[in-house]
């Protein structure tokens, strides 16, 4: 319809149509364009909503962390006369630490992959080992969940500890072991938006409610083996207790 009627809209579909018309080694088909549009919905909605649930869950089962984060939210709300702005969200240091730790413990995508463009030799992993040759057009799988929950890189990985990402500790994280959005030039293009909307939702929740576990809340989480992404068996169960003024 866009082609037939000359419709131009400033969106992703138009960019993909332009890429198709320019021509490349891989000729984009209509199915390719539809698939890209679909994966944007899937990648953007499912992962962000699941991250929000995991953050809320950990706050509910860790009331001390929740209380500290609520104090930070209340402080910035008071400075902004009760409203949340982009600037105030950007200044919430502990909020960033909490969300970063949730991404560490529960990466939205449990692995990422890369397509090899040229032959490359990886050095020996340990003394006495052989180097590894990666041939062109090989697919390399990077286990984000495995790396981020490995005690070698993150001691006591089962513990939800936002202090891993404080100013003193975050620079000590071993390079390339923390990749909830991937890394490099092909990392997730929606990472900043996902972080901002998650922080905004949590700030709004903490402003109005106290998050608490229920009888159905399972701790520690047991993952549903039938799901491709990380999902707790039976879903998320939390209660929201309305805050009284001044508390």
């Amino acid at each position: 319809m866009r082609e037939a009627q000359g419709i131009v809209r400033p969106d992703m579909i138009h960019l993909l149509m332009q890429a198709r018309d320019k021509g490349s080694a891989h000729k984009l088909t209509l199915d390719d364009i539809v698939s890209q549009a679909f994966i944007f919905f899937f990648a953007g909605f499912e992962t962000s909503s699941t991250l929000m649930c995991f953050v809320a869950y950990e706050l509910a089962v860790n009331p001390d962390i929740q209380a500290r984060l609520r104090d930070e939210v209340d402080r910035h709300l008071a400075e902004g006369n009760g409203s949340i702005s982009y600037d105030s969200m950007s200044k919430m240091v502990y909020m960033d630490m909490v969300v970063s730790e949730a991404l560490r413990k529960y990466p939205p995508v449990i692995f990422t992959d890369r397509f090899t463009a040229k032959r490359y030799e990886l050095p020996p992993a340990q003394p006495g080992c052989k180097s590894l040759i990666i041939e062109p057009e090989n697919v390399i799988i990077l286990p984000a969940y495995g790396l981020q929950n490995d005690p070698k890189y993150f001691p006591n990985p089962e513990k939800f500890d936002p202090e891993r990402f404080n100013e003193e500790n975050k620079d000590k994280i071993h390079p390339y072991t923390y990749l909830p959005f991937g890394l490099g030039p092909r990392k997730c293009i929606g990472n900043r938006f996902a972080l901002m909307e998650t922080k905004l939702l949590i700030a709004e929740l903490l402003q109005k409610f106290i998050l608490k576990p229920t009888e159905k809340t399972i701790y520690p989480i047991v993952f549903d083996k039938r799901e491709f992404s990380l999902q707790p068996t039976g879903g998320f169960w939390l209660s929201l207790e309305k805050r009284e003024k001044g508390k």
Side-chain angles (χ1 to χ4, degrees):
M1 183 183 294
R2 293 193 187 198
E3 289 179 333
Q5 300 182 15
I7 298 173
V8 176
R9 293 175 182 162
D11 58 18
M12 191 183 77
I13 298 293
H14 182 66
L15 291 174
L16 289 170
M17 290 173 63
Q18 286 181 312
R20 179 196 61 183
D21 295 339
K22 285 181 180 178
S24 62
H26 174 74
K27 180 69 175 178
L28 284 174
T29 66
L30 181 59
D31 283 345
D32 289 331
I33 293 175
V34 172
S35 298
Q36 287 297 320
F38 173 79
I39 200 66
F40 259 58
F41 279 105
F42 179 77
F45 285 100
E46 179 71 16
T47 53
S48 297
S49 60
T50 303
L51 170 61
M52 295 170 188
C53 290
F54 277 124
V55 174
Y57 168 85
E58 287 291 348
L59 291 176
V61 299
N62 292 285
D64 54 332
I65 294 175
Q66 182 181 169
R68 180 177 169 184
L69 182 57
R70 179 178 290 106
D71 288 343
E72 180 180 69
V73 171
D74 288 347
R75 186 171 66 254
H76 285 284
L77 280 171
E79 293 173 358
N81 296 320
S83 63
I84 301 175
S85 66
Y86 178 86
D87 287 339
S88 64
M89 287 299 306
S90 300
K91 294 175 183 176
M92 294 187 190
V93 176
Y94 195 63
M95 173 74 80
D96 188 70
M97 291 163 55
V98 168
V99 174
S100 295
E101 174 66 349
L103 286 166
R104 195 261 330 153
K105 193 174 179 183
Y106 311 104
V109 180
I110 59 175
F111 69 85
T112 187
D113 58 1
R114 290 293 183 269
F115 187 76
T116 312
K118 61 182 179 181
R119 193 173 189 270
Y120 190 82
E121 181 177 354
L122 288 172
Q126 297 178 2
C129 294
K130 295 181 179 180
S131 60
L132 177 65
I133 303 296
I134 303 176
E135 298 294 345
E137 299 188 4
N138 279 355
V139 176
I140 308 300
I141 303 296
L142 306 171
Y145 180 84
L147 289 169
Q148 295 176 189
N149 285 273
D150 189 333
K152 178 180 176 182
Y153 305 118
F154 297 94
N156 195 9
E158 295 82 12
K159 181 181 180 182
F160 186 80
D161 184 10
E163 294 303 323
R164 301 180 201 270
F165 294 90
N166 64 26
E167 284 298 320
E168 181 182 353
N169 293 329
K170 65 181 181 180
D171 291 333
K172 298 177 183 177
I173 295 174
H174 195 283
Y176 312 115
T177 60
Y178 181 72
L179 54 161
F181 294 104
L183 290 169
R186 289 173 178 79
K187 68 184 292 185
C188 174
I189 64 172
N191 66 318
R192 288 186 297 177
F193 177 73
L195 289 171
M196 186 54 65
E197 65 177 348
T198 298
K199 293 175 183 179
L200 181 60
L201 175 89
I202 297 302
E204 290 283 1
L205 277 176
L206 294 181
Q207 181 186 5
K208 299 172 183 175
F209 300 100
I210 298 173
L211 308 177
K212 294 185 175 182
T214 72
E215 294 179 356
K216 291 185 177 182
T217 305
I218 299 175
Y219 187 83
I221 278 181
V222 177
F223 294 122
D224 192 335
K225 296 180 176 61
R226 298 171 299 176
E227 296 288 343
F228 179 74
S229 58
L230 296 181
Q231 297 286 341
T233 300
F236 292 94
W237 290 91
L238 305 173
S239 68
L240 300 177
E241 179 182 302
K242 191 170 183 180
R243 288 180 65 187
E244 298 178 18
K245 289 186 177 180
K247 293 186 179 181

